[in-house]
Amino acid sequence: MSARDNVQIAPANGRLGVLIPGIGAVTTTFIAGVEAVKRGMAAPVGSLTQLATIRLGKRTDDRTPLIKDFIPLAGLNDLVFGGWDIFEDSAYEAALNASVLERTQLEALKEPLSAIRPMKAVFDSEYVRRINGPNVKQGSKMDKAEMLMDDIEQFRKSNGADRLVMIWCGSTEVFHRPGAVHQTLKDFECGLMKNDPEIAPSQIYAYAALKSGVPFANGAPNLTTDTPALLELARERNIPICGKDFKTGQTFMKTLLAPGLKMRMLGLNGWFSTNILGNRDGEVLEDPGSFKSKEETKLSVLDQILQPKLYPDLYKDFYHAVRINYYPPRGDSKEGWDNIDIFGWLGYPMQIKIDFLCRDSILAAPLVLDLVLFLDLAQRSGMRGIQEWLSFYFKAPMTAPGLYPEHDIFIQLMKLKNTLRWMRGEDLITHLGLEYYD
Ligand SMILES: NC(=O)c1ccc[n+]([C@@H]2O[C@H](COP(=O)([O-])OP(=O)(O)OC[C@H]3O[C@@H](n4cnc5c(N)ncnc54)[C@H](O)[C@@H]3O)[C@@H](O)[C@H]2O)c1
């Protein structure tokens, strides 16, 4: 610790185990990518922790280290991977199946990927309806939570992991609101014992992680840790958590553009977003229950950024719709269209069209890496509960109860970097800049 640090950051010594429920397209693209970068076969494009710099002090100070040199993060060579899936495929087979990366590239990574074989999953077809697989645990919900805790300890021992992080990259579960069973930790534990149908598989993983002292991130829109019971557990155990739903393709575009329209006080009549995608994620999202979870996180963004209550002349009653269509020929290569009807001076209408031919998992993989490394940093720094500074990565950032989330990606990045500056006792950057003109 340097004399200036605001928090005591334990060093990132030893191995960091990354545990992932769901060994599908995102997970295999993430792991294959890390293995490729480790072997010098590729650059970690899209990752803030690996490539971005951070300005320190005044603009005239010329201090802009890489983030990873400024703050102690686990190195890629120290990461070890494990996870769960309802299918028995190794990460190599799952990656071939996902067809995100080219076969020749995967061949070169066959050895490390084949070594990752999924543990038996906690699964409930009431929560993910379109798929089913054989690799699942049996027993009551409490039994399953205990089995997951055993898996975690086994993994810790057999991989010699000094620290662990869990990140949900499983399928999107059906939409549900917190019920009575989610109100307190006691209610939740009773619910596990009584097999309460309101407890989702992702919540059993999160519970097992938190009970085992493992930070938890949620890459999907499911409710998961966004409940009083699991928040209580995270705070009680001093464990950081964050979520929900990686901000990748269309919502990433939305949170780039919407703040700009608002900054210039341009009005909005409507924003119609539609997507086609053909991966397993797309197949699961065909189910109305899972789509509802996604729709909620995707729709929430514009209202918060545009603040129609503060700006009724510009944003009252704008029409906002989001559609996702499963279209198998496209695989992971999604196409997302946005038609945006805006208006300017004297109300004259204009249109913006976006056609984003993106690759979902290619956009998501670096976010998984950053979240794993930053959550581990948070844990080593004694930061507990919701990590709002990681909102940058999410479509529906978790916040303290009663607090609206910040969706503007430019504010989110400033919050993230200022948190790092604050941790190390550096001046926060306010962009006031009067000192240059004294
Ligand atoms: N790729 C993106 O850009 C992006 C962005 C935001 C959110 N997400 C979310 O990330 C998640 C993963 O996306 P993906 O494209 O890798 O999907 P995928 O369908 O390829 O992989 C998900 C995997 O989770 C497994 N699974 C489902 N329920 C499980 C359970 N209870 N326990 C263990 N495994 C389980 C499935 O068998 C599958 O292999 C999805 O929820 C998706 O909505 C992805």
Side-chain angles (χ1 to χ4, degrees):
M1 184 175 179
S2 91
R4 304 175 67 172
D5 289 358
N6 279 313
V7 287
Q8 191 160 358
I9 309 175
N13 294 338
R15 288 182 163 179
L16 174 63
V18 183
L19 283 167
I20 315 182
I23 311 282
V26 170
T27 300
T28 55
T29 308
F30 156 63
I31 298 174
V34 170
E35 295 297 340
V37 173
K38 274 163 58 180
R39 287 164 177 72
M41 290 159 55
V45 178
S47 163
L48 212 79
T49 56
Q50 304 306 301
L51 298 181
T53 57
I54 182 162
R55 184 190 121 198
L56 304 174
K58 292 185 178 176
R59 268 185 273 165
T60 44
D61 289 353
D62 198 19
R63 290 169 68 214
T64 48
L66 284 169
I67 286 177
K68 65 178 179 176
D69 293 336
F70 171 60
I71 200 120
L73 295 174
L76 299 193
N77 285 319
D78 296 328
L79 301 185
V80 281
F81 306 101
W84 297 265
D85 205 288
I86 62 170
F87 298 109
E88 286 159 344
D89 296 347
S90 70
Y92 173 70
E93 291 156 339
L96 282 179
N97 190 28
S99 306
V100 177
L101 303 177
E102 286 168 12
R103 195 172 255 275
T104 45
Q105 192 165 31
L106 287 173
E107 272 318 303
L109 302 166
K110 187 169 179 180
E111 198 195 317
L113 292 177
S114 301
I116 300 166
R117 304 208 72 91
M119 297 177 268
K120 280 190 192 312
V122 173
F123 187 70
D124 181 345
S125 50
E126 285 300 311
Y127 280 86
V128 172
R129 296 191 181 127
R130 296 270 155 138
I131 54 172
N132 228 319
N135 197 35
V136 293
K137 296 190 195 303
Q138 305 297 338
S140 74
K141 292 193 172 181
M142 188 53 112
D143 293 339
K144 289 175 184 164
E146 280 162 7
M147 286 184 244
L148 287 174
M149 288 185 245
D150 285 346
D151 291 348
I152 293 171
E153 281 324 303
Q154 279 300 326
F155 177 88
R156 197 194 296 269
K157 279 198 204 108
S158 55
N159 287 281
D162 296 83
R163 306 175 315 283
L164 297 171
V165 168
M166 190 184 292
I167 181 161
W168 173 269
C169 296
S171 310
T172 298
E173 296 175 330
V174 298
F175 180 75
H176 70 151
R177 295 188 194 284
V181 73
H182 299 116
Q183 293 315 308
T184 67
L185 185 54
K186 206 163 150 242
D187 296 332
F188 187 84
E189 290 181 330
C190 279
L192 283 174
M193 256 146 3
K194 290 187 193 149
N195 259 335
D196 192 311
E198 289 292 305
I199 298 181
S202 65
Q203 292 173 327
I204 305 179
Y205 285 97
Y207 173 78
L210 298 175
K211 287 288 273 191
S212 307
V214 176
F216 185 93
N218 181 12
N222 338 312
L223 192 61
T224 314
T225 48
D226 218 352
T227 60
L230 291 173
L231 289 178
E232 184 187 328
L233 180 57
R235 286 187 64 78
E236 184 188 278
R237 299 278 170 126
N238 291 324
I239 303 166
I241 54 172
C242 61
K244 308 176 303 216
D245 205 5
F246 301 129
K247 177 149 81 176
T248 50
Q250 199 164 53
T251 310
F252 169 52
M253 288 293 137
K254 230 170 234 182
T255 58
L256 288 178
L257 206 53
L261 296 174
K262 186 175 132 198
M263 275 169 210
R264 284 288 163 94
M265 293 284 104
L266 293 168
L268 181 73
N269 284 323
W271 195 313
F272 185 81
S273 303
T274 184
N275 296 272
I276 52 173
L277 83 162
N279 56 15
R280 193 182 281 157
D281 186 29
E283 194 177 350
V284 169
L285 292 172
E286 276 278 284
D287 175 64
S290 292
F291 175 68
K292 171 89 174 133
S293 297
K294 205 48 132 182
E295 189 184 28
E296 287 278 317
T297 63
K298 280 181 169 261
L299 286 178
S300 60
V301 167
L302 282 186
D303 258 354
Q304 191 282 320
I305 293 179
L306 298 175
Q307 297 175 295
K309 282 204 180 102
L310 289 183
Y311 303 102
D313 292 346
L314 300 176
Y315 305 121
K316 191 168 149 280
D317 300 331
F318 67 83
Y319 188 92
H320 186 197
V322 178
R323 304 273 182 269
I324 300 179
N325 289 295
Y326 177 51
Y327 179 60
R330 279 300 170 85
D332 198 65
S333 299
K334 181 161 89 176
E335 184 159 4
W337 290 273
D338 286 277
N339 172 76
I340 310 156
D341 284 290
I342 63 171
F343 56 90
W345 187 240
L346 310 182
Y348 278 77
M350 294 173 267
Q351 290 184 13
I352 303 173
K353 312 273 181 190
I354 303 174
D355 182 1
F356 190 14
L357 290 123
C358 66
R359 291 172 189 268
D360 251 7
S361 305
I362 294 292
L363 292 169
L367 310 196
V368 179
L369 175 60
D370 285 356
L371 283 165
V372 162
L373 298 185
F374 279 146
L375 257 193
D376 171 54
L377 169 73
Q379 171 85 332
R380 283 183 287 111
S381 308
M383 293 159 79
R384 64 174 179 167
I386 297 168
Q387 302 299 300
E388 208 198 288
W389 61 287
L390 298 175
S391 298
F392 178 68
Y393 294 103
F394 295 110
K395 283 196 201 60
M398 286 175 69
T399 48
L403 196 63
Y404 69 77
E406 185 52 73
H407 283 292
D408 179 327
I409 197 163
F410 304 100
I411 297 176
Q412 290 172 335
L413 179 63
M414 204 186 305
K415 189 191 279 280
L416 186 154
K417 287 193 168 179
N418 269 340
T419 303
L420 299 179
R421 293 183 186 105
W422 169 81
M423 288 168 92
R424 306 246 54 179
E426 289 283 341
D427 290 344
L428 303 188
I429 293 197
T430 62
H431 299 287
L432 181 63
L434 288 177
E435 66 273 28
Y436 303 115
Y437 298 93
D438 278 349

